[in-house]
Amino acid sequence: MPKLPLLRHERLANLGLAAGSILLTLAAYVVIHGAETGLSLILGVVLFQIGLNAVFGPLVALLPDLIPDRQKGLASALLGTAQPTATLFTSLVVA
């Protein structure tokens, strides 16, 4: 299946999604860094998860369209190991 070029409005939507996610992630880092209570720390983690999931969901949905058929297995494997690996390193950093 040929790779479909992104239309102009799709590129702008992707750019807006990425920019929003980056801003949410940065806001989460600021909240986590300045957290003095457990509630503010939880708020920071929730902001981080929202920013991550805002990009991760559409990325997973776009993978079949953007990756050549012969590389889909590798891409799926890398994506499947990315989240558990991130969870592992997050627990190491927090601990």
Side-chain angles (χ1 to χ4, degrees), residues 14 17 51-67 71-84:
N14 291 341
L17 186 64
L52 178 69
N53 291 337
V55 167
F56 197 69
L59 174 67
V60 171
L62 285 173
L63 281 179
D65 294 335
L66 300 176
I67 295 177
Q71 294 179 337
K72 285 183 182 173
L74 175 63
S76 179
L78 291 173
L79 189 61
T81 59
Q83 196 161 15

Side-chain angles (χ1 to χ4, degrees), residues 6-95:
L6 292 176
L7 300 175
R8 184 175 177 197
H9 68 278
E10 291 172 331
R11 288 184 190 144
L12 290 175
N14 291 341
L15 182 62
L17 186 64
S21 178
I22 289 170
L23 289 175
L24 270 175
T25 303
L26 290 175
Y29 287 151
V30 169
V31 171
I32 290 171
H33 179 70
E36 294 183 1
T37 66
L39 185 60
S40 60
L41 182 61
I42 290 172
L43 175 66
V45 171
V46 168
L47 282 175
F48 180 77
Q49 281 300 127
I50 291 171
L52 178 69
N53 291 337
V55 167
F56 197 69
L59 174 67
V60 171
L62 285 173
L63 281 179
D65 294 335
L66 300 176
I67 295 177
D69 287 337
R70 60 185 168 77
Q71 294 179 337
K72 285 183 182 173
L74 175 63
S76 179
L78 291 173
L79 189 61
T81 59
Q83 196 161 15
T85 304
T87 303
L88 171 68
F89 284 112
T90 301
S91 63
L92 291 175
V93 168
V94 172

